[in-house]
Amino acid sequence: MRTLLSVAASAAALVLLAGCTTASQDGGTTPDAAAASPSPTASGFDMSTVQVDDKLAAAVPAEVSEDGMLTIGSELTYAPVEFVAVDGKTPVGIDIDIAGAVAAKLGLAPDVQSSTFDAIIPAVGTRYEVGFSAFTVTPERLDTVNMVSYFSAGSQFAVAAGNPNDVDPSNLCGLTVGVQTGTVQHDEVEAASATCEDEGQDAVEVLPYDSQADVATNLVGGKVQAMYADSPVTSYAVQQSGGAIEPIGDVTDAAPYGVVVAKEDAEFAAVIRSALQRLIDDGTLDRIAETWGSEGSVLTTAEVNPAAR
């Protein structure tokens, strides 16, 4: 995947960022093109090092603990945060390992269920008990759910190698930009487009995709002139492209990721916060982040509903 043979070969390599999953699928979708090839080889964190906290386990609501599982909604095409391993079915990544560690701390087994990104939050509290999917804490999300912070990431653009379209991240007017549907970056590029029109310039053509892998693939293929994503995702896409794409501009707007818990489940959100804090304090979350090349991204304090950007 790191050897650039041609634009077509690079596009195919980027599709591998998605994979296909059989991990408890109940309506989630993944790109059909990914079925032809495996996703990048990846090994996660050793969960045997995580010890159950009996006090926290006892505080888990009965409706969650009765089946011994923590049901987790996740969009599995956002490498390296959450994606699918080389076997084509096993969820892996930063969030998957952190979710697994939280479940283990609570005496539960993780049940990761694949979903499209924008379908997760509405289903937390019914289909899913929590959502782990690189959810940036925002005021709009806090209006509808509880969010427990644990990780920090910014945003960054990427372009085709050599920046053939002379993309300037500070002026997107007239450009075609790919984003994943429902992300913070989607909202930001839409807002930038509106500003362009207000100033009498050409709008940004915003192309949203359900899969972040599709965003990267269409950047290589030339359908979009730039992509915009969370900084660890952009870095990983660049690494996996074999030189076909490159980052541009600084990492901006660092903000926390939050575990999503239903609005009415404030007590469960507090249990999740305590589990995360113990995993922060004993260094588990730092070791998980290091496993995936995201050193220094773990917060020092987990909070329920922290201040949002």
Side-chain angles (χ1 to χ4, degrees):
M1 291 188 60
R2 297 172 186 266
T3 302
L4 179 59
L5 300 178
S6 65
V7 169
S10 297
L14 282 161
V15 172
L16 305 188
L17 296 176
C20 57
T21 181
T22 57
S24 300
Q25 282 190 349
D26 56 358
T29 58
T30 51
D32 290 340
S37 302
S39 59
T41 301
S43 58
F45 184 75
D46 180 6
M47 291 300 159
S48 68
T49 63
V50 180
Q51 300 299 311
V52 178
D53 185 306
D54 292 333
K55 184 176 180 180
L56 288 180
V60 175
E63 58 269 25
V64 175
S65 63
E66 60 187 0
D67 65 353
M69 308 291 289
L70 182 64
T71 306
I72 301 155
S74 191
E75 197 281 319
L76 297 174
T77 68
Y78 211 53
V81 188
E82 45 263 324
F83 62 116
V84 179
V86 69
D87 63 4
K89 62 181 181 181
T90 303
V92 294
I94 299 167
D95 266 357
I96 303 304
D97 281 352
I98 293 175
V102 168
K105 184 62 69 177
L106 300 178
L108 302 171
D111 176 17
V112 179
Q113 299 191 356
S114 174
S115 173
T116 54
F117 182 78
D118 55 358
I120 297 172
I121 287 180
V124 171
T126 53
R127 176 172 293 181
Y128 314 122
E129 289 157 347
V130 295
F132 267 92
S133 204
F135 287 110
T136 301
V137 178
T138 66
E140 295 77 16
R141 288 170 179 162
L142 291 176
D143 284 342
T144 60
V145 293
N146 291 298
M147 301 189 78
V148 187
S149 60
Y150 61 98
F151 191 88
S152 180
S155 298
Q156 190 168 31
F157 286 91
V159 295
N163 194 13
N165 296 293
D166 295 323
V167 172
D168 177 0
S170 67
N171 181 10
L172 302 176
C173 302
L175 296 176
T176 303
V177 180
V179 291
Q180 186 175 22
T181 302
T183 59
V184 167
Q185 291 83 15
H186 186 179
D187 294 340
E188 289 179 358
V189 177
E190 291 282 8
S193 181
T195 299
C196 290
E197 292 185 287
D198 290 345
E199 294 176 350
Q201 301 185 64
D202 291 338
V204 182
E205 184 179 0
V206 185
L207 294 186
Y209 297 88
D210 285 343
S211 162
Q212 181 61 41
D214 286 347
V215 180
T217 298
N218 282 290
L219 174 59
V220 173
K223 187 172 182 179
V224 302
Q225 295 169 307
M227 63 169 263
Y228 193 36
D230 284 1
S231 50
V233 174
T234 296
S235 295
Y236 191 81
V238 168
Q239 178 190 57
Q240 294 294 316
S241 76
I245 65 176
E246 62 186 43
I248 188 169
D250 296 328
V251 175
T252 60
D253 298 326
Y257 285 168
V259 184
V260 176
V261 183
K263 198 68 172 177
E264 63 272 19
D265 291 339
E267 291 184 3
F268 187 39
V271 173
I272 295 292
R273 189 214 69 81
S274 294
L276 283 166
Q277 190 61 55
R278 283 162 173 72
L279 293 164
I280 291 169
D281 292 343
D282 69 13
T284 297
L285 260 59
D286 279 333
R287 291 193 294 274
I288 288 172
E290 289 168 7
T291 298
W292 297 102
S294 291
E295 296 86 348
S297 296
V298 173
L299 300 176
T300 57
T301 304
E303 297 180 76
V304 178
N305 300 334
R309 75 182 190 190

